[in-house]
Amino acid sequence: YDIDNFVVGISRKRTAAPTPTDCEDEINKGTTGGGESWNDGNVVGVSMISPALNVHIYEPSFLVDLGGMSGGDPHDEKDTVPGGRMGAYLEADITDPSSPAQEFADMALVHRQVANLALAPGHDIADGRSDCQQFGMLLYQIYSGVSPSPATDALVTQSEKRGGEAESATQVCGCVSAPITRGDVDDDDEPASKRSTNRCHSKEGSAERCQQPYDASLREMGLPSSISMLVQHLIDGRSDLYPSLEAASKDLHMLLCDPECYLFDNHQVVSSSGPSSRLRIKEGKVYGRENEVSLITDAFCKVSSGKRVAFFIGGYSGSGKTMLVQSVKARVNAVGGYVLTRKIDEMSRERPFLDILSAFDNLCLLIRDENSPRALGSIKDRLLLEFENDFFVLARLLPNVTLIVPQLDSLTKEVQTEQINMNSYTVSFILQRFIRIVSSREKPIMLFLDDLQWAKSPALDLIYGILSDTRGSSCLLFVGSYRDNEVDEDHHLFELMVNLELCGVDSSTLHLSGLNSEDLNVMVSEFLCILPRICKPLSDIVFSKTEGNPFFALEFLRSLVDSRLLEFSLREMRWIWDCDEIIAENLTDNVLYLLTKKITQLPRNVQLALQVLSCFGIKANESIVGYLSSTLQYSNFSECLSLAIGERIIQKTDKDFKFVHDKVREASYNLIPDNNKSQFHHEIGILIYLASRGGDLGEAIFQIVDQVNMDLSLVKHSMQLDIAKINFSAGLAAINQGDFSTSHSYLTNALALLPKDHWRNQYDFSLRLFFVRAKAAYSCGNADEAKESLTTMIEKGHSLDDILGAYHYYIVILLVSEKREEAYEACCKVLSQLNRALPFSIDGVQATSIANQFEVSLSRMSNQDWYTIKPMDGARNKFIMKFYTILFIICFRDKANAAMVPMLAYQMIQFTLDHGLSSDSVIGLMQYAAIQSHLSIAHVQGAHRLGKVAMNLSKRFNQHEMVTNLYYYYYGFVATYTEPMQACSDMLRKAVEVGMSTGEFPAFTCFNTIFIVRCGMLGGENLSSLIRDTDYYLDLSRRFDHKLSQIYLSIYRGVISALIGKSASSSQSAVEEESIHSTEAHVTAVQISRLLVSFWQGHTERCSHFAGKLLRNKNLGSHNRVFVAFYSTLNSFRAIRSRNGAGSKYIKIHNIYPNAIKVLKSAERLSSWNYSNKVLILAAEYCSFEKKNENAKAAYAAAISSSCSSNFIHEQGLACELAGFHFRKIDENKDAMDFFNQAKDCYAKWGSQMKVDFIQEQLGKF
């Protein structure tokens, strides 16, 4: 029989193997070999050894000469050893199983020959003892150093024959022993530690000691109870426990695998007052969840490879969901990752949004503490680069980020709470950007949210927003647990799971049921430090009561301890129980009943303290405890909680007092009568409010207000205004942390508590409350409620100045909602009240005259004149500029009011010159520059100067308020002429990031996405990346419900798909058809998209058709006109080439080319980067047409070089393609093939498989 990894350490070793004669002497002396007593070789320990050693126990070789080989006839005297004890000698070889067999001879084999298993005359192997009994007697002799005596053997035999009490005793403790009484448990004349040292080494002493059962004898010598029980059961021949030596071997192996549990009796359970009721709980150990641990580990491995993964775990309360997640925590920490854990509380289910933000705020501390100075410096630099213009918003959400970037701490104090316009989308966007920077394959993040059944849609939307980051490379594992028996089918959680799968997040769902009986048996075994097969009857009872629920099983065992049905015996040094008594008690299978019973046995003041604590949820901030302790009613609150900590009902963390489990909190809360719960909550809230009034409540404000708000009808009339104001403060605190949903709830409560005469007696507070509530409602997507609050303000306001902010926000909501006509009328109305009335209409002649006069006036102003304009004074003047700005936006996009644009620009700038500079003055100046560039390329140079002036002036203000608007007008209309197209795209992306982060003018955020994609198409960005960005921006526009950007982006997406080589979807065709019947701008966008697609696909007739329509459009826009001229002219050259110079196209080219080259050269003078290559391509085509071959070759080479240096990879490919056709036309096929191959490479880099296939087709013609 092999026993792996097993060694018994003794202080003295035998020096020689015994001979048969020696063994005969040892039998008589009770010693083994050379006069040395085995008692003299004290057992000093049992341990595992590595590499593994095998112990082979078999009959020694010298028995061969005596005929003692196995298989002989035991009744044949020739086949027996002296004394008739066949097989009584064993030999043990300890070898290394990993060594090759041929090397065994070279190893130092340790031979220990243990003699005489029969031990006494008349007790030889022929008496019917099993192998297990023999092995048990061998172990007894090894551990005790003495031979089992006849008296002991007789005692065992007598015990086996007993019935009644002895048999019952066996069932009580799961082992053979003398009957145990309650006195054995509670008192003993001599401590076990002392008894273990009282050994008698004389023969008489040994015999006397062995008059008691073997396990008692071994315990007195200090051996662990687990070994003493094992030996006793083996000697007793308990085949129900040990049917074979294999079973005994497994138990020995288990002893060695967990010696702390099984080999060292836990004396800590013994105190001066008697045995403690504490079971041996292995904190953090997960039982029976190997497969589940493997699944969640696999999910983490995916994150480590650079993916976003979601893992959901469902199961009943107490099934071990949290413990399962904790099992992977060590793995995350081992690779240097970050673990974020938050529990969504039933009592704070209105604000889980804040819990998620709190988790990421704590991440900042982990980053600071777990990175080297060099790594921390790198993170800081990347954060500064990413959040260049909106770091203050990140710091608002995650205040601890200033610990990473301390030099920007001051930025967080510049913005008032009412100025923040964030919503759940902006918050998720900010966190996306943050996670991209701080997470990596080397530093993955695991976010664990427990109890998602309490989470409402805003928190789940935030989770979706974080995980649905399609642009970044964040390494994030989200793990969410929930009680699947407490969620309905329509719970938002299941919608989250579906949406995550749809957006490509690797998602998995796991259900945890109870442990099976075998795994529960192992758990109970380790709790009691008793081998599993010994405590199996008890664990079966536990399983039947708890269905394998780990938490319930633990509480059930504790209830047995409390009921003294499971006790620790000092005499036996182990836990004892009586299965019959436990079954007879008919204990409940309801864990809440057990916990309630336990709590109600505590002193009444402790029970009351637990009831109060449960009102705050799973935990309460220590400041709450402090406030309660300062009151007369709960002056001993802290002391009561300390007693509860001693009873393991609650625990103290860094800043909180926390229940050890949800069910414990539920049991405490259920002690409050249902009809008194609201009153109980309310009284606690009022008590803490009065105790804390005037102090800085910090995060505790939410817990205090939640108590009072449990039933607002209980608020006394005299307290209503006070409670309204603390709700308002809580609402502001929630907004400050980006949680508008929670804020809206608090502000609505504040509104409900206002007295009827609040507009008269609380006017200022009412104005502020209604305005902040409007912003919270709009941020939650409730525009109608926001407009209702603003309308009330406008009606109740005492003066126009008091309600200008409400007017402005109301008009912004109308504008974003695409209700431009209503917004226009509202702007004109308020400007009229401000004595800035506008004419009802203006004709084209008047508009042109005003524009010309205005242009002359502006040309006379130097840059320095602009820079020396004084700041604007007065809130009224600043609001006038805001209304002008909105009107300009409306008229700029509305053909019916287009004639008003020059007059509005004039009035804005003139008002600035008269009253000073404001942030809206800067935007107005930039708007004028944009309209000038849009109208004519001849105005671009002057517009560029004004645009640069506006960009410099913006530095005098908080740029985050202006970036979205400024960048839209400058990089969307002006800089596309003067700065690299790719740079314009990058700056527009920054504008989107700032707009998403701040929530300022979401319409402009969406407008910027249109220009990003447009610049990407014209600038030659990789098409695969561009279509991913377009999809991302489409999703963004849908979230903001911005119809205009959805139309444009859908049209552009169709172009990109066609260029890649994919056909347009039916939805795309529907969008184009809808656009044709929409505004003129939409029709123009569709025509330009069809022009581009038909050109690149080589459809000359279709391209010519759309080019003609566009060029006849007087409102085309100067920048669009440049590109239409470029592509339409190239299309004409292609038509001539396909017809070998025949037809009307040949005649028209002499008119088309000069006009196009004139337009392109005008643009080239503004930016050679953007337009020189286009001029060269047209020139090369014209030279080829004129058969000026050498000039054409030079022009093609220059065009290719210019396109390459400007990073227009698509136009580099186009120049190579056209050069290939030219060289093939003049029969220089080798050069033609080279150019076609270059074109193929360029188109492959561009990502256009359609063009790659086309070039491959041309190469096939050679």
Side-chain angles (χ1 to χ4, degrees):
Y1 303 97
D2 293 352
I3 305 173
D4 294 343
N5 290 17
F6 182 88
V7 61
V8 178
I10 59 175
S11 60
R12 297 177 62 182
K13 295 183 179 180
R14 296 172 53 90
T15 57
T19 65
T21 305
D22 294 331
C23 290
E24 287 290 323
D25 295 336
E26 290 167 2
I27 293 170
N28 297 326
K29 297 178 181 177
T31 60
T32 52
E36 292 182 19
S37 170
W38 279 97
N39 262 358
D40 293 333
N42 295 332
V43 176
V44 296
V46 182
S47 63
M48 293 181 66
I49 46 184
S50 180
L53 298 182
N54 290 343
V55 181
H56 306 275
I57 302 176
Y58 52 89
E59 294 177 346
S61 57
F62 67 79
L63 292 180
V64 175
D65 298 330
L66 301 176
M69 295 295 293
S70 60
D73 184 357
H75 302 290
D76 188 343
E77 293 182 358
K78 296 180 180 180
D79 256 355
T80 58
V81 296
R85 289 180 290 276
M86 171 67 72
Y89 304 92
L90 295 181
E91 180 173 284
D93 288 353
I94 303 177
T95 62
D96 183 353
S98 64
S99 301
Q102 60 268 27
E103 296 181 4
F104 281 4
D106 299 329
M107 299 177 61
L109 300 180
V110 180
H111 297 282
R112 293 195 180 104
Q113 300 180 14
V114 181
N116 193 13
L117 280 177
L119 295 178
H123 291 276
D124 57 20
I125 197 168
D127 67 356
R129 291 186 184 278
S130 68
D131 291 343
C132 289
Q133 288 175 300
Q134 297 174 48
F135 185 55
M137 299 180 77
L138 167 65
L139 290 177
Y140 178 82
Q141 184 169 350
I142 290 175
Y143 289 126
S144 67
V146 299
S147 303
S149 67
T152 304
D153 213 26
L155 180 61
V156 173
T157 302
Q158 183 181 3
S159 177
E160 289 173 347
K161 294 178 181 179
R162 285 181 187 165
E165 187 178 36
E167 183 178 355
S168 176
T170 302
Q171 296 175 355
V172 168
C173 60
C175 63
V176 175
S177 68
I180 297 173
T181 65
R182 295 296 182 195
D184 295 326
V185 178
D186 295 328
D187 45 52
D188 204 325
D189 295 335
E190 188 175 21
S193 57
K194 183 176 180 181
R195 293 199 318 271
S196 64
T197 61
N198 292 339
R199 296 184 178 180
C200 178
H201 300 294
S202 66
K203 179 178 179 179
E204 293 76 15
S206 297
E208 182 181 354
R209 185 175 63 232
C210 289
Q211 298 303 312
Q212 55 185 316
Y214 297 116
D215 64 334
S217 175
L218 293 175
R219 284 199 312 275
E220 286 193 356
M221 290 182 286
L223 269 76
S225 58
S226 57
I227 290 180
S228 63
M229 281 196 296
L230 183 146
V231 171
Q232 184 72 62
H233 289 315
L234 286 172
I235 294 176
D236 285 351
R238 288 287 301 274
S239 59
D240 58 326
L241 296 176
Y242 295 104
S244 67
L245 277 182
E246 182 181 2
S249 176
K250 287 181 179 179
D251 276 5
L252 286 171
H253 186 74
M254 182 176 291
L255 299 179
L256 300 171
C257 288
D258 195 354
E260 183 181 355
C261 178
Y262 297 113
L263 292 180
F264 304 102
D265 286 336
N266 189 357
H267 295 285
Q268 292 181 352
V269 299
V270 182
S271 64
S272 58
S273 59
S276 169
S277 62
R278 293 192 179 183
L279 304 169
R280 182 183 179 272
I281 311 299
K282 286 189 175 181
E283 297 294 337
K285 179 163 183 179
V286 179
Y287 295 91
R289 305 295 191 191
E290 289 77 13
N291 292 335
E292 291 83 355
V293 169
S294 177
L295 290 173
I296 194 171
T297 302
D298 290 344
F300 174 67
C301 291
K302 293 177 183 177
V303 173
S304 298
S305 63
K307 294 183 178 180
R308 294 162 293 126
V309 179
F311 197 92
F312 295 92
I313 306 172
Y316 286 14
S317 176
S319 60
K321 302 182 295 293
T322 303
M323 294 294 293
L324 177 62
V325 178
Q326 292 297 335
S327 69
V328 80
K329 180 176 179 180
R331 293 170 173 83
V332 180
N333 290 329
V335 300
Y338 309 109
V339 179
L340 313 178
T341 302
R342 284 297 182 276
K343 187 178 185 68
I344 298 176
D345 202 332
E346 179 183 6
M347 302 306 294
S348 62
R349 64 175 74 184
E350 295 293 337
R351 44 186 170 86
F353 200 98
L354 294 176
D355 290 329
I356 299 173
L357 292 177
S358 174
F360 282 101
D361 191 35
N362 188 62
L363 173 60
C364 298
L365 299 177
L366 297 177
I367 293 170
R368 181 197 62 180
D369 297 338
E370 298 180 11
N371 282 279
S372 66
R374 181 177 179 180
L376 196 61
S378 175
I379 293 173
K380 180 183 72 174
D381 293 342
R382 291 164 61 200
L383 284 172
L384 289 173
L385 182 63
E386 174 70 21
F387 293 93
E388 178 182 3
N389 295 309
D390 52 348
F391 182 84
F392 81 96
V393 185
L394 175 65
R396 283 276 176 171
L397 293 180
L398 312 177
N400 285 330
V401 77
T402 56
L403 300 176
I404 304 174
V405 194
Q407 61 266 43
L408 296 182
D409 187 23
S410 60
L411 293 180
T412 64
K413 303 177 177 63
E414 294 180 1
V415 182
Q416 298 297 319
T417 299
E418 289 89 338
Q419 293 178 307
I420 297 176
N421 296 297
M422 292 184 294
N423 53 46
S424 61
Y425 302 135
T426 65
V427 172
S428 62
F429 183 76
I430 293 168
L431 292 179
Q432 281 180 359
R433 296 164 63 195
F434 178 69
I435 294 169
R436 289 176 207 159
I437 293 172
V438 301
S439 71
S440 64
R441 296 185 180 188
E442 295 75 25
K443 290 283 187 179
I445 297 173
M446 184 179 83
L447 171 63
F448 172 45
L449 295 182
D450 196 6
D451 282 343
L452 284 177
Q453 73 274 2
W454 304 125
K456 292 192 174 182
S457 56
L460 298 177
D461 289 342
L462 178 59
I463 295 169
Y464 172 78
I466 294 171
L467 288 171
S468 61
D469 182 10
T470 58
R471 295 196 58 199
S473 56
S474 55
C475 298
L476 175 65
L477 169 61
F478 170 75
V479 181
S481 69
Y482 62 99
R483 301 178 193 171
D484 50 11
N485 61 315
E486 296 184 24
V487 289
D488 298 327
E489 292 181 357
D490 59 349
H491 195 284
H492 292 290
L493 176 61
F494 299 113
E495 181 182 352
L496 170 65
M497 296 177 184
V498 172
N499 290 338
L500 287 176
E501 290 186 4
L502 291 176
C503 72
V505 176
D506 192 319
S507 301
S508 303
T509 303
L510 175 68
H511 172 76
L512 285 188
S513 56
L515 301 177
N516 60 42
S517 59
E518 290 76 14
D519 293 326
L520 186 67
N521 181 214
V522 173
M523 188 179 83
V524 173
S525 165
E526 295 193 3
F527 286 175
L528 303 180
C529 299
I530 295 176
L531 290 167
R533 70 182 73 250
I534 308 300
C535 62
K536 185 69 165 62
L538 175 61
S539 72
D540 285 344
I541 296 174
V542 176
F543 181 79
S544 67
K545 290 289 186 179
T546 66
E547 297 182 348
N549 184 289
F551 175 74
F552 189 5
L554 174 58
E555 291 305 318
F556 185 81
L557 287 173
R558 284 174 170 163
S559 71
L560 293 180
V561 173
D562 294 339
S563 303
R564 296 177 64 85
L565 294 173
L566 176 64
E567 298 182 288
F568 188 83
S569 168
L570 290 177
R571 178 170 296 170
E572 301 296 319
M573 289 307 294
R574 58 177 171 262
W575 292 92
I576 61 171
W577 63 90
D578 188 324
C579 292
D580 293 337
E581 284 188 25
I582 294 173
I583 295 172
E585 283 289 328
N586 194 24
L587 296 172
T588 179
D589 56 1
N590 187 323
V591 67
L592 278 177
Y593 176 84
L594 293 178
L595 294 170
T596 302
K597 180 179 178 182
K598 179 178 180 179
I599 293 171
T600 53
Q601 291 173 350
L602 299 171
R604 293 191 61 83
N605 58 347
V606 177
Q607 294 181 44
L608 178 61
L610 292 174
Q611 293 173 38
V612 172
L613 192 68
S614 70
C615 289
F616 297 95
I618 194 68
K619 64 182 179 180
N621 189 276
E622 62 183 359
S623 62
I624 297 291
V625 175
Y627 289 131
L628 284 169
S629 299
S630 67
T631 64
L632 182 62
Q633 185 175 347
Y634 295 102
S635 58
N636 64 343
F637 192 68
S638 296
E639 291 76 10
C640 292
L641 294 184
S642 297
L643 290 174
I645 291 173
E647 294 295 330
R648 302 182 310 283
I649 294 175
I650 64 173
Q651 59 188 11
K652 178 69 168 68
T653 61
D654 290 340
K655 296 181 179 180
D656 301 303
F657 288 85
K658 179 180 178 182
F659 284 94
V660 296
H661 195 272
D662 292 335
K663 286 296 181 183
V664 181
R665 181 254 156 199
E666 187 178 348
S668 299
Y669 189 66
N670 287 345
L671 293 177
I672 307 171
D674 289 340
N675 59 0
N676 192 41
K677 279 187 168 65
S678 296
Q679 180 75 30
F680 197 79
H681 279 282
H682 181 75
E683 290 177 355
I684 293 171
I686 293 296
L687 194 65
I688 300 175
Y689 168 69
L690 295 175
S692 63
R693 188 155 46 181
D696 182 12
L697 299 179
E699 292 292 325
I701 189 173
F702 300 119
Q703 291 186 315
I704 296 173
V705 175
D706 288 346
Q707 299 302 308
V708 179
N709 290 348
M710 192 63 67
D711 190 347
L712 291 178
S713 65
L714 298 173
V715 179
K716 296 179 181 178
H717 180 75
S718 60
M719 292 287 295
Q720 284 184 345
L721 185 59
D722 288 342
I723 303 305
K725 289 183 176 181
I726 193 175
N727 268 282
F728 178 72
S729 298
L732 289 181
I735 286 180
N736 200 36
Q737 298 182 39
D739 188 351
F740 288 88
S741 177
T742 299
S743 172
H744 180 260
S745 176
Y746 288 135
L747 296 171
T748 301
N749 287 336
L751 198 64
L753 289 167
L754 286 177
K756 293 182 179 180
D757 60 352
H758 65 92
W759 282 111
R760 182 176 68 252
N761 296 327
Q762 296 293 326
Y763 177 73
D764 291 338
F765 176 65
S766 298
L767 280 176
R768 194 177 179 203
L769 172 59
F770 272 74
F771 185 71
V772 176
R773 181 174 178 267
K775 301 202 80 171
Y778 186 64
S779 295
C780 293
N782 196 335
D784 291 337
E785 184 180 310
K787 288 190 292 183
E788 181 183 348
S789 290
L790 296 170
T791 301
T792 302
M793 284 183 66
I794 292 170
E795 292 173 352
K796 299 293 185 180
H798 294 174
S799 67
L800 181 61
D801 290 330
D802 290 345
I803 58 175
L804 285 175
Y807 262 127
H808 177 257
Y809 199 60
Y810 183 87
I811 294 170
V812 167
I813 293 175
L814 292 175
L815 181 62
V816 173
S817 304
E818 292 294 315
K819 297 179 179 179
R820 294 197 298 273
E821 186 174 343
E822 292 182 45
Y824 182 85
E825 292 176 357
C827 267
C828 291
K829 177 182 177 181
V830 71
L831 282 172
S832 178
Q833 295 180 54
L834 291 166
N835 299 319
R836 305 297 301 185
L838 298 175
F840 288 106
S841 63
I842 186 170
D843 58 33
V845 176
Q846 289 176 305
T848 302
S849 175
I850 292 173
N852 291 337
Q853 294 177 16
F854 189 48
E855 187 175 356
V856 172
S857 299
L858 289 179
S859 65
R860 294 173 181 169
M861 291 186 65
S862 67
N863 292 0
Q864 192 61 33
D865 292 335
W866 286 105
Y867 298 149
T868 55
I869 296 178
K870 65 179 182 179
M872 184 176 288
D873 293 327
R876 175 174 286 213
N877 289 335
K878 293 177 182 179
F879 273 112
I880 290 174
M881 287 302 301
K882 290 182 182 297
F883 294 123
Y884 275 143
T885 301
I886 293 175
L887 274 177
F888 187 98
I889 295 170
I890 297 170
C891 295
F892 184 70
R893 294 174 49 205
D894 191 350
K895 184 179 179 181
N897 294 305
M900 296 287 291
V901 170
M903 189 193 68
L904 284 170
Y906 167 75
Q907 292 209 12
M908 290 172 69
I909 295 178
Q910 190 60 53
F911 192 84
T912 296
L913 297 175
D914 294 341
H915 298 280
L917 189 74
S918 70
S919 59
D920 287 284
S921 301
V922 176
I923 294 174
L925 187 61
M926 187 65 82
Q927 287 174 326
Y928 178 77
I931 194 63
Q932 289 294 94
S933 296
H934 179 69
L935 291 174
S936 172
I937 195 172
H939 297 154
V940 171
Q941 193 166 2
H944 175 70
R945 181 181 76 88
L946 289 178
K948 284 293 187 183
V949 168
M951 294 295 285
N952 287 327
L953 288 173
S954 70
K955 297 175 182 177
R956 293 167 57 174
F957 305 93
N958 289 327
Q959 282 191 293
H960 71 270
E961 298 177 352
M962 308 164 61
V963 164
T964 308
N965 290 7
L966 281 179
Y967 282 24
Y968 167 71
Y969 289 116
Y970 183 71
Y971 291 104
F973 292 92
V974 180
T976 49
Y977 280 111
T978 59
E979 298 186 24
M981 191 78 68
Q982 298 87 348
C984 292
S985 183
D986 291 340
M987 298 307 292
L988 288 166
R989 283 190 173 91
K990 285 190 176 181
V992 170
E993 290 175 352
V994 173
M996 281 294 297
S997 299
T998 62
E1000 292 286 345
F1001 285 103
F1004 278 100
T1005 299
C1006 295
F1007 288 151
N1008 280 315
T1009 65
I1010 298 172
F1011 280 98
I1012 290 172
V1013 178
R1014 180 179 182 274
C1015 288
M1017 289 193 305
L1018 299 178
E1021 285 191 29
N1022 179 268
L1023 295 173
S1024 297
S1025 299
L1026 189 58
I1027 202 169
R1028 283 196 299 269
D1029 286 351
T1030 305
D1031 287 338
Y1032 175 78
Y1033 295 138
L1034 266 170
D1035 181 62
L1036 190 66
S1037 64
R1038 293 187 188 104
R1039 292 187 185 188
F1040 282 117
D1041 195 26
H1042 195 261
K1043 304 296 184 183
L1044 183 63
S1045 59
Q1046 289 181 51
I1047 292 173
Y1048 275 100
L1049 291 171
S1050 296
I1051 293 171
Y1052 292 160
R1053 193 190 190 284
V1055 176
I1056 301 167
S1057 295
L1059 294 176
I1060 291 174
K1062 302 176 181 178
S1063 59
S1065 64
S1066 57
S1067 61
Q1068 166 61 28
S1069 302
V1071 168
E1072 290 192 358
E1073 292 302 322
E1074 178 186 347
S1075 301
I1076 289 176
H1077 300 289
S1078 186
T1079 67
E1080 182 181 5
H1082 298 164
V1083 174
T1084 300
V1086 171
Q1087 291 175 346
I1088 291 176
S1089 71
R1090 292 181 176 178
L1091 167 77
L1092 289 173
V1093 171
S1094 58
F1095 172 81
W1096 286 104
Q1097 289 180 340
H1099 303 308
T1100 55
E1101 292 296 334
R1102 291 188 64 193
C1103 183
S1104 178
H1105 169 75
F1106 291 114
K1109 282 190 171 185
L1110 288 165
L1111 291 173
R1112 289 190 295 271
N1113 184 354
K1114 295 181 180 180
N1115 297 316
L1116 179 60
S1118 61
H1119 197 257
N1120 283 336
R1121 194 170 295 278
V1122 170
F1123 279 89
V1124 171
F1126 174 65
Y1127 284 111
S1128 64
T1129 305
L1130 286 179
N1131 186 66
S1132 297
F1133 283 121
R1134 176 187 289 159
I1136 293 171
R1137 184 186 305 112
S1138 64
R1139 298 178 182 180
N1140 295 318
S1144 61
K1145 301 296 180 183
Y1146 177 81
I1147 300 172
K1148 290 183 178 180
I1149 197 65
H1150 290 290
N1151 297 325
I1152 295 173
Y1153 174 73
N1155 293 333
I1157 205 71
K1158 179 181 179 181
V1159 173
L1160 266 296
K1161 284 192 173 182
S1162 297
E1164 183 187 23
R1165 285 191 290 270
L1166 296 169
S1167 173
S1168 60
W1169 178 284
N1170 288 338
Y1171 303 105
S1172 286
N1173 69 313
K1174 298 171 181 61
V1175 170
L1176 290 169
I1177 291 174
L1178 288 180
E1181 284 288 272
Y1182 187 74
C1183 290
S1184 177
F1185 166 75
E1186 293 287 344
K1187 299 182 180 180
K1188 298 177 181 179
N1189 294 335
E1190 294 303 319
N1191 291 343
K1193 290 180 181 180
Y1196 282 125
I1200 294 169
S1201 176
S1202 177
S1203 299
C1204 179
S1205 62
S1206 296
N1207 296 324
F1208 292 121
I1209 190 68
H1210 64 314
E1211 290 171 354
Q1212 182 184 349
L1214 177 61
C1216 291
E1217 176 189 342
L1218 296 175
F1221 281 118
H1222 171 74
F1223 279 90
R1224 187 169 68 180
K1225 183 179 70 172
I1226 63 176
D1227 295 327
E1228 296 184 14
N1229 289 337
K1230 182 178 180 303
D1231 290 336
M1233 290 183 65
D1234 288 342
F1235 280 114
F1236 278 130
N1237 279 312
Q1238 290 180 46
K1240 180 181 176 182
D1241 291 341
C1242 290
Y1243 288 143
K1245 292 178 182 177
W1246 185 30
S1248 176
Q1249 187 61 43
M1250 173 196 72
K1251 292 300 296 183
V1252 170
D1253 294 341
F1254 173 76
I1255 296 300
Q1256 187 63 47
E1257 181 182 341
Q1258 300 305 313
L1259 288 169
K1261 296 179 180 180
F1262 288 95

